Amino acid sequence: MKKALNYIILVGLIVLTIWIFVSNNDFDNFSELISSANIVLLLIAVLCMVLYWFFEAYIIHRMKKTLNIKSTYGASLKLCMIGQYYSAITPFSTGGQPVQIYSLVSDGVPVGTASSLFVNRFLIYQLVVTFYSLFMFIIRFNLLYTEAKLALPFVIIGCLVNFIILIMIFGFLLNEKFIRSLLSKSIKILHKFKIIKDIEKSEEKMNNTLLDYKTSVEEMKKDKKTTLELILVSIVQLTIGFSITFFVYLALGFEMGHFLDIIAIQSLHYMAVSFMPTPGTAGAAEGGFYMLFKVIFPKKILSFALMLWRFIDYYLRVMIAGLVTLIDFISRKKKVSIN
């Protein structure tokens, strides 16, 4: 029922977004824009998306080796795509890692080891994307303040939310008692507002999660060389992912925009919409693109640029990752029926 609701919300938001486009934009020149777009550069934008997945698969595969999980790179790529699909269709992208853990456990990996792998991945990703975006925010603050002031509060809130999450995670290692107490009080407050129904169950889940984080950080500290390598790989991966918009920009025949400006705005766009509780940040991603990228794209091109970026960055991901997930599901079903 919950999964069906997610699909209904996602489809509803897509329909709403399309309606907003149609009611607020002149599409008479879209056929002309499509025919004049540079296909090679659009294919490079698609390649950026594919490379993002390959880097993610490499990170997963490298972590498997560290945890002595026997696997092929192909299996890691498949696991990456399954995570990409479920992250894309669930609020806050929360569905990806639990399904990936389940998939590993189904393949015979102990649940503790599987959990540790993806907690490590989350920690590295959260660390990199937060500081990456904060750095971009600092060096491009003037651009945002002068050209996209309306979007600034959303960017600041997004950066703060992600930074607080990071502080909570690493603060737990410095003062475990304080963080446990803070989270326990937060659970009780949420229970009073009837957001959380079962306090005991929530606290048990909190304690298990904190234990996983503690174990994972200790493992990362033991193998500093691998951790540093994966941090650097994650920086390259994010840059490639954020470059999709840059190649869309070039494909539409523009050359004046600075690569660093577009990368910076795209990373801050990610921060601004990351805390929105809709599957694939649908609705928020489009609105955020409008507010932030009007600095880069002319108004008459903005809608078309948004559609191209969103298709490559999101809908293409859902289609390809969904196909891989479906094939994996059918394959597992066949194995069960044979056994």
Side-chain angles (χ1 to χ4, degrees):
M1 181 66 185
K2 194 173 180 181
K3 190 184 287 187
L5 183 62
N6 282 338
Y7 282 117
I8 292 167
I9 292 169
L10 180 59
V11 172
L13 286 166
I14 291 169
V15 171
L16 179 62
T17 302
I18 293 170
W19 179 79
I20 291 169
F21 285 161
V22 172
S23 62
N24 289 283
N25 294 282
D26 180 13
F27 284 79
D28 292 342
N29 66 336
F30 265 42
S31 58
E32 184 184 334
L33 289 170
I34 291 168
S35 61
S36 63
N38 188 313
I39 301 302
V40 173
L41 288 168
L42 287 177
L43 288 174
I44 293 174
V46 172
L47 179 62
C48 285
M49 187 76 263
V50 175
L51 285 173
Y52 182 92
W53 298 332
F54 275 84
F55 273 101
E56 183 65 23
Y58 171 80
I59 292 166
I60 291 171
H61 192 60
R62 189 74 179 81
M63 286 181 165
K64 280 182 179 180
K65 283 186 176 180
T66 303
L67 295 168
N68 298 314
I69 300 172
K70 292 182 180 179
S71 177
T72 63
Y73 178 79
S76 298
L77 181 59
K78 181 182 72 174
L79 193 62
C80 157
M81 298 309 288
I82 291 169
Q84 289 288 308
Y85 175 69
Y86 280 99
S87 293
I89 64 169
T90 52
F92 298 114
S93 302
T94 51
Q97 290 195 346
V99 176
Q100 287 173 311
I101 291 169
Y102 174 79
S103 182
L104 276 181
V105 171
S106 299
D107 291 335
V109 177
V111 65
T113 305
S115 297
S116 180
L117 189 156
F118 287 104
V119 169
N120 282 352
R121 177 57 188 137
F122 171 77
L123 288 174
I124 290 173
Y125 182 83
Q126 193 66 28
L127 178 73
V128 172
V129 77
T130 301
F131 281 104
Y132 190 109
S133 300
L134 284 172
F135 175 75
M136 293 298 183
F137 179 77
I138 292 166
I139 66 171
R140 285 295 181 267
F141 177 78
N142 286 338
L143 179 67
L144 285 172
Y145 187 76
T146 55
E147 302 292 343
K149 200 174 284 187
L150 283 174
L152 200 56
F154 298 101
V155 172
I156 291 170
I157 291 168
C159 287
L160 280 174
V161 168
N162 283 277
F163 190 63
I164 288 167
I165 291 170
L166 205 60
I167 288 173
M168 293 285 282
I169 292 168
F170 289 100
F172 172 72
L173 299 172
L174 300 173
N175 196 328
E176 182 177 336
K177 187 177 179 181
F178 173 73
I179 297 297
R180 282 188 185 276
S181 174
L182 184 64
L183 290 174
S184 183
K185 286 176 183 176
S186 299
I187 288 170
K188 287 172 184 175
I189 291 168
L190 291 172
H191 177 69
K192 284 182 180 180
F193 285 98
K194 297 183 179 179
I195 296 171
I196 288 176
K197 294 179 180 179
D198 192 327
I199 292 180
E200 288 184 8
K201 191 176 179 180
S202 296
E203 287 191 339
E204 183 184 352
K205 189 176 179 180
M206 176 198 76
N207 289 328
N208 290 336
T209 302
L210 289 175
L211 184 61
D212 285 341
Y213 282 135
K214 189 175 183 179
T215 304
S216 296
V217 172
E218 290 301 322
E219 287 175 0
M220 286 165 64
K221 285 165 68 178
K222 284 179 187 175
D223 194 351
K224 293 183 178 69
K225 187 179 177 181
T226 301
T227 300
L228 180 60
E229 177 197 339
L230 295 181
I231 286 172
L232 293 173
V233 171
S234 295
I235 292 170
V236 175
Q237 179 197 25
L238 281 175
T239 303
I240 289 171
F242 292 147
S243 297
I244 292 171
T245 313
F246 177 70
F247 287 106
V248 167
Y249 177 83
L250 294 180
L252 294 178
F254 300 106
E255 296 177 356
M256 296 300 292
H258 198 284
F259 175 73
L260 188 60
D261 286 340
I262 294 175
I263 293 293
I265 292 171
Q266 190 61 70
S267 68
L268 295 172
H269 172 266
Y270 173 85
M271 283 284 125
V273 303
S274 62
F275 62 94
M276 298 298 179
T278 57
T281 63
E286 292 81 0
F289 193 98
Y290 258 110
M291 285 193 289
L292 284 164
F293 278 100
K294 66 179 182 180
V295 178
I296 302 296
F297 292 98
K299 190 177 180 181
K300 63 179 181 179
I301 303 292
L302 190 56
S303 296
F304 185 62
L306 167 55
M307 290 178 70
L308 287 175
W309 165 76
R310 191 61 167 154
F311 175 78
I312 296 168
D313 185 73
Y314 183 68
Y315 297 115
L316 187 65
R317 173 158 51 109
V318 170
M319 287 189 286
I320 295 175
L323 181 62
V324 173
T325 303
L326 179 62
I327 292 168
D328 178 68
F329 175 77
I330 294 169
S331 175
R332 288 178 186 275
K333 280 285 185 182
K334 282 184 179 179
K335 283 181 183 178
V336 170
S337 61
I338 291 169
N339 295 332

